Structure formats: structure tokens, C-alpha cells
């Protein structure tokens, strides 16, 4: 057991020490993983001698990540992105490959084929780094975030034609298999789409009848890994397969359950992936070739940056948006290793060139967190400055409200109507300034930070309302408030039913789904328009609320599929009330 458990303990120990340290220094968790991987890898301590094997396994983290992103994208939404995928994505990649190939030949005197392979590999940005950044910034659903996702999807699709080009250029393969590789990839895509469209729904419905959460989790993992394996078998990336599987399941009623089951695997494997990339850094190559490595790193990052910025502006992006996208995409990515490995196997490049090109990619990924930190400080939106905004400090009141969006604004009015002493914080300077125009005093502060909660008077507050619109932020605030300020009643806004279950299990004093009551009122108004009197409408509302509370209680004890008998999914056999509807205008 020792030899099996030992490496796991080393990896977890390195991550547990390095990541908090780097986050405390403001360098981010990704760079911490890289550093920890380099430390325990073959170049320093030598505790691991085969990072490629770990890297291949750790790619499952990227696979899980893309699956969860796919769950958030309906097929209709993905189809709406087709112009960005094959327009913006194609333009950026084509220009970047052309400029990088030219730079390789002109600056470093690489042969044309070698220059093309080096540039084509570097153009494939890191899905893991970019998607992690977008998720941390909560920008995936924004217009700019959708453009970034579109470019990444095109780069994933580009793997197949690039591998076909490598096969064509290979003196070993003599071009055989290039067209067949494309045909095989298209057949694999078609098989995945057809299977997913017709079979995934019935498959999960069958698993749900077992009423065993672990069976549903196993089914979700089977779908993710099966789709990834199929795409890898036909020459596409595993991440592409997982993403498409997520998209196909995005309209399923089991989506939230599946997402909550996959989330822990995703986070752990993503960390392992970054550790493996750090292990792959060959410091012997760095020591022997450092002038060439640094020159290539500088030239390739700058040339790719020019291509990204020019494309962004050509497609109507603002200067600020173009600069931010440039900073995010200027590095190489994990799929470059796949291309370079295939090129070595086909004798298109030699082992030394593969080591150099791969090391340049790893170094570019390692410096990306530092570049992003610098860019965040330099590329600030003029509207996001703190001019005229007062930070939270020594606040006090009966109630602390965290978040002053459309939800928090209504909740605050109820409290103020009866003279409650309320302190309000928000982390959006524009929203705070807008609130001031209407007479509200809102202080600047991030509710996820414990020092800000203390400055905002959380220790003295009798009630804390968590009104932010991000479920991960809500969960983080709830955890800190319950641990540090146990005397305060915690009232939380939930995103959906699955989030309500999480909050109830966490022990909040009160939770409410952000759309539940407004949806009930809309349905009630529909009954009124059909001619129902107020007594009948009130009875219908009471019945639905009672059913919902009972169902939620069963779900908290079980899973998302519990309590289905409480739902009205078909017309009831008899009216909810014996009172006949009163025609409009009647008596």
C-alpha cells in the first residue's frame, strides 16, 4: 500500500503547501500548482520520473471542466455561436499561425516545415488556464466570455486538420491517412451527436428510477468519459467530446444533479493537471537552451498577441476588450503537446526541437497568471474605478445586506419601510454610484472576504441577508458567516432548487429561490385572467407552496429526484376547489 499511496500524499502535500502560499502572495493558484509540480518533478526533487503519464491522466480535469461548461450551453445557444466559432475563431487562428510561422523562419531560421509546426502548436491556447480564469471572473456567460469560448472550441476542432497535416508532411506516413483522419473524426462527431440526442435522456431516466444517487453519479461519469474516449479514438480532443456531451445534457431535468456530482472530480483533476504540466518542465533543457527559449518565448508571445489584438479589433472589439483577450490567449496550451508528439513520431521534427517547443509552451502557461495580474491592474475599465465610492469600514446595524442588485434592492425596501437599521455592501462601483442617485447609501466591499465582513458590522448584526447572484459566492459567504458570526440569522438567496438543497443542508436559517415567488404570482395572475375568484387563487397558491415545501424537504434528505409525487405534472383528476369559476364581468 505504501508505494501506491506515497505519490498521492506527495502530490497533495505539494499542492496544499504551494497553492495557499502563492494565493497569499497574490500570484494565483495556477502558478502555485505549476511551481509545486516543478518542485516534485524529475528536474528538481525527482519524486516523479514519468510526468507524461500523470499529464495524460490529469487531462481528465480539463475534460470535466468542459463538460460542466457544456451543461450551461443549450444546443440552440451553441448554434447561435457558429458565426463566432468559424468566423472569429478561424480568423484569429489563421492569422496567428501565419505570423508565428513567419517569425520562426525569419527570426530563428527554422526550416519552413519546422517553423509551421512550432507556430501551429503555440497557437493552441490553454483551455484549462483560460476557462479557469473566465470562471473565477464570472465572465463565461458575458459577450466577451462567449467569444473566448467560441475561439477555444475552434482551436479544439483544429486539432484534427493539424494532425492530418502532420501525417501528410511525415516522411514515414507519406501523407496516407490525412483524409481518412478527417473522415473518421467527422464520423465520430456524428455518432456522438446522434447517440446523445436519442439515448441520453432515456438513459438517465432509467438510472433515476433506481433512486440511488451513486448510480446517477456513475452514469454521469460514464457519459463524460465515454464521450471523451470516443473523441480521442477518432483523433479529436477528449475535452471536445466532454463538452458536446454536456451540451446534449444541458436541457435535461437531471442537469443540476449531474453538475453537483461532477464538480468535485473537476476541481481535483484540474489541480492535478496543472501539477503535471509543472512536472513536465525540463530544467536541463532550460539550462542548456535558455537564450533560445527566452527569445522564442518573447517573440512568440508578442507575435501571437499582435494577431489576437488585430483580429479582435477587426471584428469590432473595443480597445480594452481586445487587450484583455490578447492577454488571456497569448500563451500556448496543452494541445500543443499532442501536436508536437505526433510530429516527433512522424519524424517531422526531432527530439531536441520537441523539447524546446514544449518547454516554451510550458513557460508561457506558467507566466500567464503573472501577466493576468499585471493586466488586471493596468487594464481597468474607467467605469470600475472607486471614485466617489466609500469602502465599508466600521459599519453597524441590525441587518447587514450583501449585494444590492435587483434582488437586494427590493429586500432592502421592505426592511427600511419599518425602520430597521440596515448596512448594505456591494462589490460593483457602478451599481453603488447608481444607487446613490436614488438616495441609497451602499458601501464598497466583497462579501466573500472575512475582513470586509468584519468591517461591515457582521459581528454586531442580528440578521445577515445574502443577496448576491452567484451560487458559489453565496456558499462561500454562508460558510464564513456561520463559522465566524454564529449569532446572526443567515438569510440567503438561492439560484435554483439544487442550490436551495445545498443551503438547507448547510444550515441557513432561511433560503428562497430567486424566481420562485415571482413565478407563483405569475401563475396566480393567469388563474385570475381565467376568471377564478381570489379564494380559489389563494387556495391554489397554498397548495403549490405546501407541495413545494414537502418536496424540498424530501430532496434534502434524498436527492433531486425525491418527492416527484408532489409535483403537478398532469391535469389533476378533480378541481382544487369546488367553487366554480366566475365569468369576467359576472356576479
Amino acid at each position: 500500500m505504501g508505494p501506491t499511496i506515497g505519490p498521492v500524499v506527495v502530490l497533495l502535500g505539494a499542492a496544499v503547501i504551494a497553492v495557499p502560499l502563492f494565493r497569499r502572495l497574490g500570484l494565483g493558484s495556477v502558478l502555485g500548482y505549476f511551481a509545486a509540480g516543478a518542485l516534485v518533478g524529475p528536474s528538481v526533487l525527482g519524486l516523479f520520473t514519468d510526468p507524461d503519464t500523470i499529464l495524460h491522466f490529469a487531462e481528465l480535469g480539463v475534460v470535466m471542466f468542459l463538460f460542466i461548461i457544456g451543461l450551461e450551453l443549450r444546443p440552440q445557444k451553441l448554434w447561435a455561436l457558429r458565426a463566432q466559432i468559424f468566423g472569429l475563431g478561424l480568423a484569429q487562428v489563421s492569422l496567428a499561425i501565419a505570423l508565428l510561422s513567419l517569425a520562426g523562419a525569419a527570426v530563428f531560421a527554422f526550416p519552413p516545415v519546422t517553423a509551421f509546426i512550432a507556430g501551429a502548436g503555440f497557437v493552441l491556447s490553454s483551455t484549462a488556464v483560460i476557462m479557469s480564469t473566465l470562471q473565477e471572473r464570472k465572465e463565461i456567460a458575458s459577450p466577451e466570455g462567449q467569444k473566448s469560448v467560441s475561439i477555444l472550441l475552434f482551436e479544439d476542432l483544429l486539432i484534427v486538420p493539424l494532425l492530418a497535416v502532420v501525417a501528410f508532411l511525415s516522411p514515414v506516413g507519406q501523407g496516407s491517412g490525412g483524409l481518412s483522419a478527417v473522415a473518421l473524426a467527422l464520423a465520430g462527431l456524428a455518432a456522438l451527436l446522434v447517440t446523445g440526442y436519442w439515448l441520453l435522456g432515456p438513459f438517465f431516466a432509467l438510472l433515476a428510477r433506481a433512486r440511488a444517487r451513486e448510480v446517477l453519479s456513475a452514469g454521469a461519469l460514464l457519459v463524460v468519459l465515454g464521450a471523451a474516449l470516443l473523441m480521442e479514438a477518432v483523433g479529436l480532443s477528449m475535452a471536445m467530446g466532454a463538452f458536446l456531451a454536456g451540451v446534449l445534457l444541458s436541457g435535461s431535468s437531471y442537469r443540476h444533479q449531474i453538475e453537483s456530482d461532477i464538480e468535485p472530480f473537476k476541481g481535483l483533476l484540474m489541480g492535478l493537471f496543472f501539477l503535471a504540466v509543472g512536472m513536465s518542465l525540463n530544467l536541463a533543457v532550460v539550462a542548456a537552451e535558455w537564450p533560445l527559449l527566452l527569445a522564442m518565448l518573447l517573440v512568440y508571445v508578442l507575435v501571437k498577441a499582435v494577431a489576437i489584438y488585430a483580429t479582435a479589433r477587426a471584428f469590432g472589439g473595443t480597445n480594452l476588450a481586445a487587450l484583455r483577450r490578447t492577454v488571456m490567449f497569448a500563451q500556448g496550451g496543452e494541445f500543443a503537446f499532442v501536436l508536437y508528439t505526433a510530429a516527433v513520431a512522424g519524424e517531422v521534427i526531432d527530439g531536441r526541437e520537441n523539447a524546446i517547443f514544449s518547454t516554451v509552451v510550458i513557460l508561457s502557461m506558467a507566466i500567464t497568471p503573472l501577466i493576468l495580474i499585471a493586466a488586471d491592474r493596468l487594464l481597468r475599465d474607467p467605469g470600475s474605478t472607486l471614485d466617489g465610492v466609500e469602502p465599508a469600514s466600521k459599519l453597524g446595524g441590525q441587518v447587514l445586506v450583501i449585494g444590492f442588485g435587483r434582488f437586494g434592492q427590493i429586500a432592502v425596501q421592505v426592511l427600511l419601510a419599518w425602520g430597521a437599521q440596515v448596512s448594505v455592501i456591494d462589490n460593483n462601483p457602478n451599481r453603488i454610484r447608481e444607487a446613490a442617485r436614488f438616495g441609497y447609501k451602499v458601501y464598497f466591499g466583497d462579501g466573500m472576504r472575512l475582513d470586509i465582513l468584519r468591517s461591515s458590522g457582521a459581528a454586531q448584526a442580528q440578521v445577515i441577508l445574502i443577496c448576491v447572484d452567484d451560487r458559489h459566492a453565496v456558499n462561500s459567504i454562508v460558510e464564513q458567516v456561520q463559522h465566524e458570526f454564529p449569532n446572526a440569522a443567515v438569510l440567503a438567496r438561492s439560484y435554483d432548487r439544487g442550490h436551495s438543497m445545498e443551503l438547507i443542508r448547510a444550515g441557513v436559517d432561511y433560503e428562497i429561490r430567486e424566481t420562485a415567488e415571482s413565478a407563483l404570482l405569475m401563475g396566480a395572475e393567469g388563474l385570475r385572467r381565467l376568471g377564478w375568484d381570489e379564494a380559489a387563487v389563494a387556495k391554489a397558491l397554498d397548495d403549490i407552496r405546501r407541495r413545494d415545501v414537502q418536496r424540498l424537504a424530501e430532496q434534502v434528505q434524498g436527492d433531486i429526484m425525491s418527492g416527484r409525487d408532489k409535483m403537478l405534472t398532469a391535469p389533476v383528476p378533480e378541481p382544487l376547489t369546488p367553487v366554480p369559476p366566475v365569468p369576467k364581468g359576472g356576479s
Side-chain angles (χ1 to χ4, degrees):
M1 182 177 293
T4 304
I5 299 297
V8 177
V9 172
V10 170
L11 282 177
L12 292 177
V16 167
I17 294 172
V19 173
L21 175 62
F22 274 71
R23 287 181 67 90
R24 177 66 63 89
L25 295 174
L27 300 176
S29 57
V30 173
L31 193 58
Y33 282 120
F34 283 149
L39 180 65
V40 300
S43 296
V44 183
L45 297 180
L47 301 178
F48 294 87
T49 57
D50 189 14
D52 290 340
T53 301
I54 298 176
L55 180 62
H56 187 69
F57 174 75
E59 285 177 0
L60 292 177
V62 183
V63 167
M64 301 294 184
F65 203 169
L66 266 293
F67 176 72
I68 291 177
I69 298 303
L71 284 175
E72 303 297 331
L73 282 177
R74 300 293 177 92
Q76 300 87 343
K77 193 171 184 180
L78 183 61
W79 178 250
L81 293 176
R82 65 190 184 280
Q84 292 183 7
I85 295 173
F86 296 102
L88 177 60
L90 176 61
Q92 176 175 307
V93 167
S94 300
L95 180 59
I97 288 180
L99 293 181
L100 286 169
S101 300
L102 183 62
V107 179
F108 302 105
F110 293 147
V113 171
T114 304
F116 170 77
I117 295 298
F122 197 84
V123 82
L124 301 173
S125 304
S126 173
T127 301
V129 172
I130 294 173
M131 295 305 293
S132 296
T133 302
L134 290 174
Q135 188 181 55
E136 286 180 4
R137 298 178 174 182
K138 306 177 185 66
E139 294 178 355
I140 289 179
S142 68
E144 281 301 314
Q146 296 294 284
K147 291 178 182 178
S148 297
V149 171
S150 299
I151 296 169
L152 288 173
L153 287 176
F154 182 81
E155 290 181 359
D156 282 355
L157 288 171
L158 190 66
I159 282 288
V160 172
L162 284 178
L163 291 176
V165 170
V166 168
F168 179 79
L169 294 173
S170 171
V172 178
Q174 294 298 328
S176 62
L179 292 177
S180 62
V182 176
L184 182 63
L186 293 176
L189 274 174
L192 177 60
L193 294 175
V194 170
T195 303
Y197 184 79
W198 292 106
L199 298 181
L200 283 185
F203 174 68
F204 278 102
L206 179 65
L207 295 182
R209 294 194 190 104
R211 294 186 176 275
R213 179 167 183 171
E214 64 275 12
V215 174
L216 199 63
S217 301
L221 285 173
L222 176 62
V223 169
V224 177
L225 300 180
L229 184 62
L230 174 61
M231 290 297 98
E232 185 182 39
V234 301
L236 279 166
S237 70
M238 291 193 296
M240 172 62 68
F243 175 81
L244 290 177
V247 171
L248 292 170
L249 281 171
S250 61
S252 169
S253 58
Y254 312 103
R255 176 169 67 92
H256 298 300
Q257 178 73 41
I258 293 169
E259 183 177 358
S260 64
D261 289 342
I262 293 294
E263 185 74 30
F265 296 99
K266 183 265 295 183
L268 184 62
L269 288 171
M270 279 290 287
L272 182 59
F273 171 79
F274 290 127
L275 280 168
V277 172
M279 290 182 210
S280 302
L281 182 62
N282 191 331
L283 294 183
V285 173
V286 174
E289 305 279 0
W290 68 266
L292 177 59
L293 289 173
L294 291 181
M296 282 190 67
L297 179 64
L298 179 63
V299 171
Y300 273 44
V301 167
L302 290 177
V303 169
K304 187 178 179 183
V306 169
I308 297 167
Y309 180 82
T311 306
R313 294 307 303 269
F315 277 74
T318 64
N319 179 60
L320 185 62
L323 288 172
R324 284 177 171 170
R325 192 186 309 162
T326 298
V327 169
M328 197 175 298
F329 276 83
Q331 88 290 123
E334 54 274 7
F335 295 131
F337 307 143
V338 177
L339 184 67
Y340 295 154
T341 301
V344 171
E347 298 182 7
V348 180
I349 61 176
D350 59 33
R352 173 181 174 273
E353 290 167 340
N354 175 40
I356 291 173
F357 299 162
S358 298
T359 302
V360 170
V361 169
I362 294 172
L363 291 174
S364 72
M365 293 173 68
I367 66 171
T368 296
L370 298 176
I371 296 175
L372 288 172
I373 291 171
D376 286 341
R377 295 177 180 176
L378 297 175
L379 302 178
R380 287 185 175 178
D381 187 339
S384 66
T385 62
L386 298 181
D387 294 341
V389 174
E390 187 176 345
S393 178
K394 298 181 180 179
L395 304 184
Q398 297 170 298
V399 182
L400 171 61
V401 178
I402 304 171
F404 198 66
R406 63 186 188 278
F407 189 96
Q409 292 166 16
I410 298 173
V412 164
Q413 290 184 44
V414 178
L415 294 165
L416 294 177
W418 292 95
Q421 299 173 1
V422 181
S423 300
V424 186
I425 64 172
D426 196 281
N427 63 356
N428 187 322
N430 292 330
R431 185 180 296 150
I432 294 174
R433 282 188 283 266
E434 187 67 18
R437 293 179 54 209
F438 293 90
Y440 289 102
K441 181 61 178 179
V442 181
Y443 296 88
F444 179 79
D446 183 353
M448 289 194 292
R449 290 177 49 183
L450 181 58
D451 58 328
I452 298 298
L453 289 174
R454 295 188 187 280
S455 300
S456 303
Q460 295 79 38
Q462 300 173 36
V463 180
I464 297 178
L465 270 64
I466 306 172
C467 302
V468 298
D469 62 355
D470 180 271
R471 65 187 299 167
H472 300 293
V474 172
N475 292 345
S476 174
I477 296 170
V478 165
E479 182 179 359
Q480 292 192 77
V481 167
Q482 288 181 324
H483 185 266
E484 299 292 335
F485 315 108
N487 294 328
V490 181
L491 284 56
R493 165 192 184 179
S494 70
Y495 175 76
D496 56 16
R497 179 174 291 273
H499 192 204
S500 290
M501 293 163 58
E502 293 177 17
L503 293 173
I504 293 172
R505 288 168 180 160
V508 298
D509 296 281
Y510 179 79
E511 56 74 33
I512 184 168
R513 299 191 299 282
E514 58 187 25
T515 57
E517 280 300 314
S518 55
L520 286 173
L521 294 178
M522 176 73 82
E525 185 61 25
L527 292 179
R528 294 188 186 96
R529 299 287 174 165
L530 291 174
W532 289 46
D533 62 23
E534 284 301 319
V537 171
K539 189 170 183 179
L541 282 174
D542 289 343
D543 180 71
I544 295 299
R545 288 192 177 105
R546 177 179 55 80
R547 290 170 178 269
D548 187 73
V549 169
Q550 292 173 348
R551 180 182 169 218
L552 187 58
E554 291 187 28
Q555 289 175 316
V556 170
Q557 299 301 319
D559 58 31
I560 196 71
M561 300 308 299
S562 302
R564 292 185 66 183
D565 58 311
K566 304 297 188 298
M567 299 174 64
L568 295 178
T569 57
V572 291
E574 60 185 39
L576 290 172
T577 171
V579 180
V582 179
K584 292 182 180 179
S587 57

